[in-house]
Amino acid sequence: DTAVSQTPKYLVTQMGNDKSIKCEQNLGHDTMYWYKQDSKKFLKIMFSYNNKELIINETVPNRFSPKSPDKAHLNLHINSLELGDSAVYFCASSQVRTSEETQYFGPGTRLLVL
Amino acid sequence: EDQVTQSPEALRLQEGESSSLNCSYTVSGLRGLFWYRQDPGKGPEFLFTLYSAGEEKEKERLKATLTKKESFLHITAPKPEDSATYLCAVRSYGNNRLAFGKGNQVVVIP
């Protein structure tokens, strides 16, 4: 199936730990994104990569570091996890500079920091 | 900064009772307005993109319209399976990011 996939779906961890979330898209898109959805369901952009180059870097703690090994993958590494990092993290992808430029989202990773 | 306000926050409808969701936006230059549907525990699912005032798009019981200041998502004769949170987002020129509203949570009662 063509889609945006994320692993893991659920992540429960202790404060202070380091964790990673992986994202892959097989839609052939050139741009990938990380969004955070808080407890009030508000979706906010964190990062965006175009052809492996960082193009959006919102005001996010530097404990969060995205890495794009190639156009189809965008991973999110989080150091020294804090309680406030608990949220749902969504990966998305799009093909920019086309008439559509619609962003397609993955199923989300539910992170709970204890 | 692009801003999106959705109303009402929550809506309960009887099956078959048509209604409309509102998305008001402020952007420097609208490149696109997007509607997504989000079911509990899932990622946003793309519904429509609107680009210019006067544009309309339809999909089954949903119809999205656009003016220079707002968009409406009309739900005609809703069914329980239309229960979801509907998210509106805008993208402005020179900007790769989508600015989302907080969503309209719709519950359709059989």
Side-chain angles (χ1 to χ4, degrees), chain B residues 4-70:
Chain B
V4 176
T5 303
Q6 292 186 246
S7 62
E9 280 188 28
L11 188 62
R12 288 172 67 89
L13 299 171
Q14 288 293 133
E15 185 171 359
E17 178 189 358
S18 301
S19 189
S20 295
L21 311 177
N22 177 265
C23 170
S24 297
Y25 63 90
T26 305
V27 294
S28 52
L30 183 68
R31 187 167 177 175
L33 184 141
F34 302 81
W35 281 101
Y36 288 84
R37 170 191 170 127
Q38 187 174 23
D39 292 302
K42 297 197 173 177
E45 176 189 343
F46 170 69
L47 292 173
F48 305 109
T49 310
L50 301 167
Y51 294 101
S52 56
E55 191 175 356
E56 299 182 352
K57 287 195 176 170
E58 282 188 73
K59 181 180 179 180
E60 296 180 354
R61 295 175 293 283
L62 300 177
K63 179 179 175 180
T65 62
L66 181 65
T67 73
K68 288 186 179 178
K69 293 184 178 180
E70 57 193 350

Side-chain angles (χ1 to χ4, degrees), chain A residues 33 35 37 42-43 45 55-56 58 90 96 99-107 110, chain B residues 31 34 36 38 40-44 46 49 51 87 91 95-98 100-102:
Chain A
Y33 311 80
Y35 285 85
Q37 189 171 47
F42 187 49
L43 260 174
I45 184 82
I55 56 171
I56 296 175
E58 292 294 291
F90 287 101
V96 297
S99 59
E100 185 81 6
E101 296 192 31
T102 299
Q103 292 184 21
Y104 294 89
F105 285 78
R110 284 137 194 89
Chain B
R31 187 167 177 175
F34 302 81
Y36 288 84
Q38 187 174 23
K42 297 197 173 177
F46 170 69
T49 310
Y51 294 101
L87 298 170
R91 181 172 175 167
N95 199 341
N96 281 331
R97 55 178 60 77
L98 286 181
F100 278 87
K102 293 185 177 180

Side-chain angles (χ1 to χ4, degrees), chain A residues 13 15-16 63 80-87 111-114:
Chain A
T13 188
M15 255 191 342
R63 299 180 295 103
S80 304
L81 278 155
E82 299 179 357
L83 295 176
D85 297 332
S86 296
L111 172 65
L112 178 60
V113 182
L114 303 174

Side-chain angles (χ1 to χ4, degrees), chain A residues 9 11 20 25 46 55 62 71 75 77 79 84 90 92 113:
Chain A
K9 187 169 182 180
L11 189 51
S20 291
Q25 57 94 4
M46 298 174 69
I55 56 171
N62 58 16
K71 274 193 340 179
N75 303 324
H77 188 75
N79 288 327
F90 287 101
V113 182

Side-chain angles (χ1 to χ4, degrees), chain A:
Chain A
D1 284 353
T2 54
V4 180
S5 58
Q6 294 178 231
T7 54
K9 187 169 182 180
Y10 298 97
L11 189 51
V12 181
T13 188
Q14 299 287 330
M15 255 191 342
N17 284 350
D18 302 338
K19 290 293 178 185
S20 291
I21 307 172
K22 294 186 176 182
C23 178
E24 177 180 2
Q25 57 94 4
N26 60 6
L27 297 165
H29 290 163
D30 61 3
T31 304
M32 297 183 72
Y33 311 80
W34 277 113
Y35 285 85
K36 179 180 180 180
Q37 189 171 47
D38 59 25
S39 56
K40 295 185 178 179
K41 309 297 183 189
F42 187 49
L43 260 174
K44 192 165 182 189
I45 184 82
M46 298 174 69
F47 302 104
S48 176
Y49 271 75
N50 175 261
N51 285 318
K52 302 197 301 176
E53 181 185 347
L54 182 66
I55 56 171
I56 296 175
N57 186 357
E58 292 294 291
T59 308
V60 174
N62 58 16
R63 299 180 295 103
F64 289 79
S65 53
K67 282 190 174 53
S68 180
D70 56 57
K71 274 193 340 179
H73 296 84
L74 180 62
N75 303 324
L76 183 64
H77 188 75
I78 316 170
N79 288 327
S80 304
L81 278 155
E82 299 179 357
L83 295 176
D85 297 332
S86 296
V88 183
Y89 293 85
F90 287 101
C91 178
S93 73
S94 70
Q95 181 68 27
V96 297
R97 285 182 285 281
T98 65
S99 59
E100 185 81 6
E101 296 192 31
T102 299
Q103 292 184 21
Y104 294 89
F105 285 78
T109 295
R110 284 137 194 89
L111 172 65
L112 178 60
V113 182
L114 303 174

